[in-house]
Structures are given as structure tokens and as C-alpha cells.
Amino acid sequence: MTADTPKGPHSTAGSVNGDAAGRTPVAPGTPPRPTPPPVLGPAVAPSAGAATVALGMPGSGPPPGSAFDAVHPPDAALIGDCVHCGFCLPSCPTYVLWGEEMDSPRGRIDIMKGGLEGDAFDADSVRHLDQCLGCMACVTACPSGVQYDKLIESTRAQLERRVPRPRGERLLRALIFGLFPYPRRLRALRGPLRAYQSSGAGRLLARAGVLRRLPRPLQAMEALAPKLGPVEKLPEGTPATGTRRRTVGLLTGCVQGTFFPDVNAATVRVLAAEGCDVVVPRRQSCCGALSAHAGRAPEAERFAKSVIETFEAAGVDTIVVNAAGCGSNLKEYGHQLRDEPGWADRAEALAAKVMDITELLDELGPVATRHPLPMTVAYQDACHLAHAQSVRDQPRRLLRGVPGLELRELAEADICCGSAGTYNLLHSEPARELGERKAKAVLATGAQVMVTANPGCWMQVATTLARMGERLPVAHTVQVLDASIRGVPVDRLLARALDGPGTVLAYATPKTITTDQPSRGVDPSSPAS
């Protein structure tokens, strides 16, 4: 099957099992498809034209004639769980953008089913699978309990082994996965990047139009790089304040540790204030999240084994993670290493210890005094926290526990912002469109600050706001809690979240935002905490 002769389930001409007009037949008695929620953008996004041109049972292989190899193909039983009810459609970012059946979860599951039945993967089917953000909103929405997360991960591992990619795409992927999962390599870039930022070279290149002539992935990398500041070196051990309630280890992360070290420092302070001895193991490796979500299974397994060894040696009760994507990946170690002799039990034991920082703090309950922070907050759910880990209420309870803080909810809260690990580098146009939808939703709340739980979301939304000419502080949940515990004045917190380390370097003069909260645009010259 080739891209020139689309047919069967891989065709982009219509819906799965649909007619020529793309209509899916509805059996008598079938409940009506749910109405999508109100959208914040066009019904069909500008990128639609270009966009539309496994669990695996141990020891079992693919059916005879399958397009998959014998290494954990997507499980036919899990594929069979999908009844094509359509409840996933309004939750899927690419379906919301393009209205294309094959860019929905059930459409992609149909492609997987076709692969099991012997359909070769043509350019169209590979593109539809690649364009999935892996946000797992469909897992939350599905009434049948379809394990789409396991299906897409096993399928992507098959594509990584079996589908040749164009040379330019191979080079881009080699650059991304040769850099971002390696903390030492990222730290080596800090000096040159900070010099580039402080020199004003970026502003000059932008004015000269040079940045616009770069390939889109390089434009995205340059735009997403946050403002760098001094790094506070974390001690290997920090004692609890008062009575010790828990001994925890902190995963510092690759992007989090390099570009957002202030978040890690705030995490240590909050944990200690809440009665935790905090251990920060040295020489931590990547957790493997980016690799696992991209189908680079051997690489992800290698990273997982390194993390297991590191935290086994630390001897901690709980492993705390403050980056949603990393946390969801660590909790899947048992699944990733299920066939590895000597590792499966160790992986399960480690995964059982992993908690997001908000999970742990909510479970422990507050002992440190919260000082007032009179401000309005738009809380943005990170997909791998809300959907992959089902952590929704805990961060909201913690934020509402801060005196004076008013929490505001976003429209389309379950729609991904477009970051999705490396998605905004590999698929920059749909990522841009999703980023603008999320930024508009944040602005519509009229809040003074956006709060999130993942560095990718932070960079994506903050960069999008800057590109739109808007100014809005962005902070991590734990930074708000840290400011409240330490009694940092709200204007200092907002100033640092607007112009401090981790914020966006905007090359255009932002326009003023008028809201019911005039202190949102705080004076950037205010002293930072």
C-alpha cells in the first residue's frame, strides 16, 4: 500500500468504516455522539490541510501476516476494547483541530488493527500515528477503559524499528534525542546560551529577520529556551524542619534541572518545611520519558535501569517528582521492564514509591504556616498529571489552601497545550495552534498568573503568550506554595514569575493587558525573592 493509493482504514478520505462523505454508520439504539465543548478557535485549524494529505502479551507474537514484529506488538485484545463510541473525539487535540477521523484515537486504533491484519504502514498511516500528542485525554474520556496509552507506545516502538524516515527527520530526531535526555549535555549549553541571551544577539537576529529563516524546529528551540539565571546548588541532604514525617528522594529531571532549577530549589524548601528529610542523589540520569513516549524502547529501558539503581542506593521512602511527564513515566517502569530478568520486580518496587509533589503534600497535610497571597491563579492541568496520573484535585486543594488565593478554571481544560514532550519541535505548526488555544483560555480567566506542573507546559504557554504580544507571569505549583510558606509578598512573586529565571525572552514589545486585576502586569524592576 502506498501513499498514492489510499484505501481501507488508512485512507484519509473519510471516517473509519464510513461512507465516501466521511459519515460513520450508526446502528439502531446507539447513543448519540457527544457534542464537543465550545472551542476557542476556528472549527478547522490552518494546519489541517497539511495534517491530513502495546501492551503486548509476554511471549506472544503478532498474527501471521501482521505488519508488526514479535517484540511487544499492540495487543489485539486491547484494540478490541474500542467500540468506536466517539466519546474520545472532543478530547483529542488533533481531532479538535482538524476534524479528521484518522487523527482521532479510534482512527489510530483502526490503523493499528489494520497493521495486525497485514496492512503495511504507508506514509499516511505513519503520519497519523506520529501526529498523536500522547496526551492521554482519550484515556480519561473513554467509558470502555481502552488502554490507548499502552497501544500508542507499543505501536511507536514498532514504527521506530520498522519504518525508515526521511533523512532530515532522522537528523532532527538524532539532535533532539541526543541532547534533551542528557543532563550533562544540557548543562554544557547553559554557559553559551546565557551569553547569547545576555548579549542581546537574539533580539538583533529577530529584527534582521534571520530567526524567521531558520528551519521551524530550530525556530521553536530558540523561542522556547527560557531566561537563564544563577543555579542554586542543592545539597545532597536537607533535614526536615521539626518532626520528620517522611524521607524522600527528589528526581531533579533533565529540562527541569537545567532550565528551571528554581523549581527544584523551591521543592526542597517546601518538602523540608512540611517535615521531610530530602535526599537529592548526585549524577542522576534522565528518567527516559521522552524516549519512551517516542517509541525508543531500548533507550528508555537503559535510562530506567539507571534511575532504579540511583534511588535504590538512596534508601528513601518516597520518590518525589515535580515534572508531570517524568512522574507518569516512572510509574510505568514495571510495565517497561516487565520482561527484563532481575529488573521487573525492582522496577515495580520503585514505581510504587513515586509520587508527584502535589500528591505527597496533599497526603501529608500542611504543618507549615501559609502566609496570604492575595492573587488570582489560572491553574493549567498538565496532561501527564491529569490524564496519565489522575492527579487533578490535589494541586487545586493545595492552592486553595493558600490564604487570599483565588483559583480560576480554564475552558477546554482537557485539551493539550501542544508541548507534549518533543511534539512542539517535531510538529511545530499544530503545536503552535494548540498553544494559542491554551493561551487564549488562560487569558480569558482574567487571572494574574498561570500555574502549571510541567516544564514543557510552562515553556509552551509562556512562549505562545509572548508571541501573541501578551505578558503574564507563569509559575510552578510548588513555587506558589514556597512563596506562601516563606511569606514572600505577592508583587515580588509575580515579578519574578514575569521576568525572572525561567521566563520567556520576548523580542517584541508586549501589549498591555487590561483585566479586572490591574496588578497582573507588575513592575519588572521589583526585587525578586
Side-chain angles (χ1 to χ4, degrees), residues 203-266:
R203 188 178 298 276
L204 293 175
L205 293 174
R207 287 176 177 173
V210 174
L211 296 182
R212 290 195 300 272
R213 291 195 287 271
L214 293 175
R216 284 189 174 181
L218 295 182
Q219 290 183 45
M221 288 186 192
E222 198 278 341
L224 287 165
K227 186 184 297 184
L228 299 178
V231 177
E232 178 181 342
K233 187 175 181 180
L234 301 178
E236 194 163 2
T238 300
T241 300
T243 303
R244 181 178 65 82
R245 308 164 76 192
R246 191 79 61 97
T247 299
V248 305
L250 175 64
L251 182 83
T252 51
C254 304
V255 172
Q256 191 82 291
T258 302
F259 295 122
F260 300 95
D262 288 5
V263 174
N264 283 339

Side-chain angles (χ1 to χ4, degrees), residues 26-38:
V26 179
T30 301
R33 180 178 299 175
T35 303

Side-chain angles (χ1 to χ4, degrees), residues 136-442:
M136 305 311 154
C138 58
V139 175
T140 299
C142 181
S144 302
V146 175
Q147 298 180 54
Y148 181 83
D149 52 337
K150 301 297 191 297
L151 290 171
I152 191 65
E153 192 165 302
S154 60
T155 301
R156 281 182 166 164
Q158 294 276 337
L159 297 182
E160 190 70 14
R161 291 191 297 271
R162 299 173 64 78
V163 175
R165 296 184 180 276
R167 182 172 181 272
E169 189 174 342
R170 293 199 308 271
L171 291 175
L172 175 59
R173 288 173 178 263
L175 172 63
I176 291 172
F177 293 103
L179 175 62
F180 290 102
Y182 295 93
R184 288 187 186 179
R185 298 176 191 178
L186 284 176
R187 287 195 294 268
L189 284 179
R190 277 189 59 90
L193 182 57
R194 195 172 180 189
Y196 168 80
Q197 292 178 347
S198 60
S199 69
R203 188 178 298 276
L204 293 175
L205 293 174
R207 287 176 177 173
V210 174
L211 296 182
R212 290 195 300 272
R213 291 195 287 271
L214 293 175
R216 284 189 174 181
L218 295 182
Q219 290 183 45
M221 288 186 192
E222 198 278 341
L224 287 165
K227 186 184 297 184
L228 299 178
V231 177
E232 178 181 342
K233 187 175 181 180
L234 301 178
E236 194 163 2
T238 300
T241 300
T243 303
R244 181 178 65 82
R245 308 164 76 192
R246 191 79 61 97
T247 299
V248 305
L250 175 64
L251 182 83
T252 51
C254 304
V255 172
Q256 191 82 291
T258 302
F259 295 122
F260 300 95
D262 288 5
V263 174
N264 283 339
T267 302
V268 171
R269 288 193 296 267
V270 170
L271 287 169
E274 296 291 13
C276 296
D277 284 347
V278 186
V279 178
V280 183
R282 299 300 182 206
R283 297 184 176 277
Q284 296 186 35
S285 74
C286 174
C287 73
L290 294 180
S291 303
H293 299 157
R296 300 167 68 93
E299 189 175 82
E301 291 166 8
R302 186 173 71 250
F303 286 134
K305 292 174 182 178
S306 176
V307 170
I308 291 170
E309 290 176 333
T310 296
F311 282 94
E312 283 179 341
V316 296
D317 305 322
T318 303
I319 299 168
V320 174
V321 187
N322 56 22
C326 300
S328 68
N329 187 60
L330 264 69
K331 291 178 180 181
E332 292 294 324
Y333 274 3
H335 171 73
Q336 291 177 15
L337 298 178
R338 61 197 181 279
D339 291 340
E340 291 286 317
W343 286 99
D345 290 343
R346 295 167 69 182
E348 287 284 5
L350 180 131
K353 292 183 175 183
V354 176
M355 298 184 78
D356 182 74
I357 177 65
T358 60
E359 277 187 290
L360 176 62
L361 294 175
D362 184 66
E363 177 183 288
L364 289 175
V367 293
T369 301
R370 265 56 168 174
H371 298 91
L373 286 175
M375 63 182 187
T376 51
V377 169
Y379 178 73
Q380 187 260 338
D381 283 293
C383 293
H384 276 85
L385 193 61
H387 301 306
Q389 301 183 63
S390 298
V391 177
R392 293 173 177 270
D393 296 336
Q394 297 93 323
R396 287 173 167 83
R397 279 196 292 265
L398 292 169
L399 291 170
R400 289 192 178 106
V402 175
L405 187 149
E406 178 190 337
L407 197 61
R408 297 184 179 178
E409 298 292 344
L410 277 63
E412 293 189 338
D414 286 340
I415 298 296
C416 182
C417 69
S419 172
T422 59
Y423 193 89
N424 51 6
L425 303 179
L426 294 170
H427 305 278
S428 57
E429 184 59 22
R432 182 190 64 79
E433 292 164 351
L434 290 169
E436 290 181 359
R437 293 175 75 99
K438 185 65 69 175
K440 290 174 183 176
V442 172

